[in-house]
Amino acid sequence: MPQATGTFEVKLAPQALANADASPLMGRLSINKTFSGDLQATSQGEMLSAGTAVKGSAGYVAIERVTGTLHGKSGSFVLQHSGTMNRGAPQLTVSVVPDSGTDELTGLSGTLGIQIADGRHSYVMDYEIAPQG
């Protein structure tokens, strides 16, 4: 299975929640990323999060549309995030939404792992592009 690696920069901006009566522990953020490395792309998306009264416990879901090139193949695709923190222990799944690939990325499937070290974000993406026809 091919693998893409690199770094990314992310900008998160608070947005109003659709329900004004939602808990103050809930949040909504816009996502803007710039990917470097094997994935040369930008993305835009949205994140919903929920904190708890227990320090280090929270959850989030997000959807982002990525547009650019993956190992030189151009197109776009959608990533779906599901993350939890259980008293500081993280669990994160980021998957390519099935059939979301366009142009040369049609048939793309896979997962994206995120690492954060010393304030820098990096990714490892395991993927396949199924032949079309």
Side-chain angles (χ1 to χ4, degrees):
M1 180 175 279
Q3 190 174 75
T5 61
T7 60
F8 66 92
E9 294 182 16
V10 60
K11 292 181 182 165
L12 302 173
Q15 304 293 311
L17 287 166
N19 181 350
D21 296 327
S23 164
L25 296 174
M26 295 183 70
R28 180 174 161 240
L29 302 162
S30 66
I31 304 169
N32 288 287
K33 288 182 183 169
T34 302
F35 294 88
S36 301
D38 297 327
L39 177 60
Q40 295 282 323
T42 58
S43 75
Q44 294 182 321
E46 293 209 9
M47 173 191 302
L48 295 174
S49 64
T52 71
V54 176
K55 182 177 169 82
S57 291
Y60 90 94
V61 294
I63 295 283
E64 64 180 306
R65 183 169 186 253
V66 180
T67 304
T69 61
L70 175 61
H71 280 135
K73 295 181 184 255
S74 64
S76 67
F77 58 94
V78 176
L79 290 174
Q80 177 178 314
H81 300 235
S82 178
T84 57
M85 289 284 287
N86 185 350
R87 299 183 181 210
Q91 181 180 18
L92 176 63
T93 303
V94 183
S95 302
V96 175
V97 172
D99 298 315
S100 67
T102 67
D103 302 322
E104 293 178 298
L105 299 177
T106 299
L108 179 70
S109 62
T111 59
L112 185 126
I114 296 174
Q115 291 125 6
I116 304 170
D118 300 324
R120 289 185 50 103
H121 292 78
S122 61
Y123 65 87
V124 175
M125 183 175 179
D126 295 310
Y127 71 93
E128 294 183 300
I129 300 176
Q132 301 299 300

